Amino acid sequence: MTAKPLLQVRDVTKLYAAGKGCANVSFDLYPGEVLGIVGESGSGKSTLLSCLSARLAPDQGSIHYVNAEGEQLDLYGLSESRQRLLQRTEWGIVHQHARDGLRMGVSGGANIGERLMATGERHYGDLRATAERWMADVELDIDRIDDKPTTYSGGMQQRLQIARNLVTHPRLVFMDEPAGGLDVSVQARLLDLLRRLVTELGLAVVIVTHDLAVARLLAQRLIVMRRGQVVETGLTDQVLDDPQHAYTQLLVSSVLTP
Amino acid sequence: MSADNIRAGYNFAYLDEQTKRMIRRALLKAVAIPGYQVPFGGREMPMPYGWGTGGMQVTAAIIGADDCLKVIDQGADDTTNAVSIRAFFRDLTGVATTERTEEASLIQTRHRIPEKALKEDQILVYQVPIPEPLRFIEPSEVETRKMHELEDYGVMHIKLYEDIAQFGHIATSYAYPVRVNGRYVMDPSPIPKFDNPKMHQSPALQLFGAGREKRIYAIPPYTDVRSLDFEDHPFEVQRWEASCAICGSRDSFLDEVIMDDKGGHEFICSDTDYCRTRMAEQGEIA
């Protein structure tokens, strides 16, 4: 692991109204690190994620990203075409609702191949082989490669979305509630899969979730947000086992244990 | 411009002079940026959208008293759309009209490029129903314009990928997307892909008018026009096992014609002028 942070976030603020959005968020993300952002609904988690992934310009603050060539880039100083290039090569964005991240009108194979085609891959046979490999990697049945995602179950759509993002071997993946809305057994499989892929590919991940179990399983470090403010940060085990802030204590104690 | 032989009460070529100037400005911009869709203040024409109002406005803006006009619809000079547009301009400009490709200085077309190679002093005007090649992948106009701006064209290959995945080959046979001058991806209007190679490095100026969507775009003479494809599935044009039942041509675009109610059918040239010229050369028509 290099000592240089992949993502440097300083005082990022994006407020829609007082207390709505996120304010003064700062952190560093290192290569291969999984950072969880937890908090209740409306605490600004998704807003922050949009800012980080160059989809929503913050009102204040700066975000610097170190690309594969080692250049330090000011995210919002980049042209829109460079931002998009980052988004489809070095980054992945996994949406909460697979429908937002997939092209529902075209087959699963085409969904996986889209990023490759966008970055200049023009060999059908290679695209096809890559799609099949990724279908297998995310435990999708290869026979479904030519079926549209509309015919997939929710869990399959989510796995397809993950494959579609990882196909360009990104260095940094943003995930917004990747297991939200799935039933518990499907969730568990998906999380297992994610954990395996993250370790195998050495991905850095920023994962937004309100589910502390997901955070515990995947994240090494946690940021706890409430009303747009960061109230607590630290190692996951430390935050969850010994919460300091009253809100974190509430959050941890409200987890149901069967 | 001469006002002789024009129906009383109308301006030359129907549109008023200011409108023509506005369209010409859009045309100049379109020629300057090959393949880029220029918005223009499309007017209502005395016919429904979808019948060639865009092409007619372009023709009206550039036609001069000395022009010789040819109008084709699916390659034919004698189909309803071609006959009525030709009559319209004869009525409102008094220009000469022709059915012969080589005599025409201005050709308005729906869905074909003439078989006979065009020359430097000719202009081809296309009628375009949907100018946006990205439309079927991305319904938002805001987003497609952004994609053009950023050359974000990966999605264009998705359609071709889907074709191969479903049919084993690129089954798109008309409105086949092209890249113009190495920059803009363009919908060549619903011409068969058979005609795509004719656009590449054509000596003639090619203008495209979409009336309902109010867009004009152009390919200047001698411009590179490449059809999109995959390395292992290269672009190919249609081929027929049959030859034209009238002139015997083996290298023109053929239409299938139903002959009876027992499944009988023949293939004939879609370009009527080309077919007639070949017959004349063979001495069968005077």
Side-chain angles (χ1 to χ4, degrees), chain A residues 80 84 88 107 122 124-125, chain B residues 146 152 157 162 231-232:
Chain A
E80 201 170 349
R84 284 202 180 198
R88 68 183 179 216
S107 70
R122 292 288 178 267
Y124 175 81
Chain B
K146 183 67 80 184
D152 192 357
H157 277 82
E162 288 287 89
E231 286 159 10
D232 48 345

Side-chain angles (χ1 to χ4, degrees), chain A residues 80-81 84 88 103 105-107 109-110 114 117-118 121-128 131 145-146, chain B residues 137-138 143 146-147 149-155 157-158 161-162 164-166 229-233:
Chain A
E80 201 170 349
S81 62
R84 284 202 180 198
R88 68 183 179 216
R103 268 183 210 286
V106 300
S107 70
E114 179 179 347
M117 291 186 247
E121 173 64 57
R122 292 288 178 267
H123 192 283
Y124 175 81
D126 293 352
L127 284 165
R128 190 81 179 167
I145 189 167
D146 291 331
Chain B
I137 302 279
E138 176 53 66
E143 181 60 21
K146 183 67 80 184
M147 289 160 85
E149 178 196 333
L150 302 175
E151 285 188 74
D152 192 357
Y153 288 138
V155 294
H157 277 82
I158 289 183
Y161 171 96
E162 288 287 89
I164 303 172
Q166 274 185 46
D229 60 3
F230 285 106
E231 286 159 10
D232 48 345
H233 287 267

Side-chain angles (χ1 to χ4, degrees), chain B residues 254-258 265-268:
Chain B
L254 300 180
D255 284 338
E256 187 177 0
V257 182
I258 307 292
H265 63 111
E266 281 183 350
F267 290 92
I268 58 166

